[in-house]
Amino acid sequence: MAPRDLHRMAFVQALMDSSFMQEDKCKMLFARIVGRPLDVAMEAQYSQTLKDLNDQMGFAKFKIKTVKNPVDNKKYVGFVNTNVDEPSKLGSRYSLAQRDLFKQAMECISQSSCTDGSNGAPCASQIELLNLGSRSANWQTTIANSSQAGPSTQAAAASNKPLSKVQIEETLRQLISDGWLAGAPSKPGYLCLGVRTFLELNAYLMALQLPEETRAAWEVVL
C-alpha cells in the first residue's frame, strides 16, 4: 500500500514531536505508520515520501533533513526550519543569556584542538565550558550604559545578566537533553556538539574559523 496523505501527516507529526531520530528508527516508524514491513520497496517509498514532503514544505521553510553525525558516525533524520541558521533557533525555551552560552560553547567546541579518541570529533571539557558566559564586567558596563536609555533597553540588558555556575550547569544539561550538545563517547567529562546542532546549524558551523582537520571532516558529512 502506497503512503496516503494521512500516513504522511502522521509521519511528519511524529518526527516533529521527537525533533530528530536515528535514520533506521525513522524508516521503521514510517513503515509502521504505513502498515508494511520495512523491505526494499518500503525503503524506496520512504525516500520518495521525504522528497515529496520537502517539495511541499519548501515554501514554509521547513525540511526533513538527513545528516551523518560526526560524533557517532550514525545517520539521523530531523525536522528543521531552514529559514534560520543560527543559535537563535533555541527560541523562547532558552533565555538570551542561555542562547549566548550555547553560542560560546558551540564555537569553543568547534574550534577546539582537543578531540574524542573514538572518532576524532572536537570536544571541550565541561570545566572549560563552565567558565563560559561569565561576563560580569561587560554586563555591569552594559547596565550602566542602559541606565541612560529607556526602559526597554534596560530590560534587555537585565535579561542578559551573566549566568551563575549553577545556571550554566543546568543549561548545559538542558542543551544535552535537547540534542544541541552531547557527551564525548570515550572522553568522560567532555562535551561534543549534538545531532541537532549538525542538523539545524550546519551552515553556521561551517562559517566559523575551524581547524583544517575539522572542516575537512565536516564537509564530508554536513
Side-chain angles (χ1 to χ4, degrees):
M1 179 175 62
R4 300 174 180 175
D5 288 343
L6 184 62
H7 297 145
R8 292 189 179 96
M9 291 174 60
F11 174 68
V12 170
Q13 186 60 56
L15 195 53
M16 288 175 62
D17 290 343
S18 64
S19 295
F20 66 90
M21 65 180 70
Q22 285 188 27
E23 185 182 46
D24 289 346
K25 293 181 179 179
C26 192
K27 290 179 178 179
M28 291 174 63
L29 168 68
F30 177 75
R32 187 166 63 250
I33 290 173
V34 175
R36 285 274 306 278
L38 184 59
D39 52 18
V40 175
M42 181 53 60
E43 290 220 20
Q45 289 186 5
Y46 166 84
S47 299
Q48 185 61 49
T49 298
L50 258 59
K51 181 180 183 301
D52 293 343
L53 287 170
N54 283 335
D55 289 343
Q56 294 168 12
M57 297 187 298
F59 78 96
K61 305 299 182 183
F62 288 108
K63 181 179 182 180
I64 298 175
K65 185 175 180 180
T66 303
V67 68
K68 185 176 182 180
N69 181 11
V71 176
D72 63 10
N73 292 317
K74 295 179 181 178
K75 285 188 176 182
Y76 289 81
V77 181
F79 187 86
V80 304
N81 178 354
T82 61
N83 197 40
V84 182
D85 192 26
E86 57 185 39
S88 61
K89 274 192 172 181
L90 273 67
S92 58
R93 182 180 179 88
Y94 293 88
S95 68
L96 182 61
Q98 288 175 315
R99 295 198 298 270
D100 187 55
L101 171 66
F102 172 58
K103 181 180 178 181
Q104 292 180 68
M106 183 168 56
E107 293 176 357
C108 176
I109 293 170
S110 299
Q111 298 168 346
S112 175
S113 59
C114 180
T115 59
D116 179 67
S118 66
N119 48 36
C123 59
S125 71
Q126 293 191 46
I127 294 176
E128 182 178 4
L129 296 179
L130 283 173
N131 290 324
L132 298 175
S134 300
R135 298 180 173 180
S136 300
N138 292 338
W139 179 71
Q140 294 293 347
T141 300
T142 302
I143 287 293
N145 292 337
S146 68
S147 64
Q148 308 299 322
S152 61
T153 303
Q154 294 177 29
S159 69
N160 200 27
K161 181 179 179 179
L163 301 172
S164 68
K165 292 292 185 182
V166 171
Q167 289 173 321
I168 291 175
E169 288 180 342
E170 293 175 347
T171 301
L172 291 176
R173 282 196 293 269
Q174 189 62 55
L175 289 166
I176 293 170
S177 176
D178 289 344
W180 298 106
L181 297 178
S186 64
K187 216 174 180 69
Y190 283 72
L191 296 180
C192 297
L193 298 180
V195 175
R196 202 166 174 185
T197 299
F198 291 115
L199 276 166
E200 302 198 38
L201 301 174
N202 57 313
Y204 183 89
L205 288 175
M206 297 307 293
L208 297 175
Q209 295 296 320
L210 301 172
E212 291 184 9
E213 297 82 358
T214 299
R215 181 173 298 279
W218 287 358
E219 283 177 343
V220 176
V221 296
L222 297 184

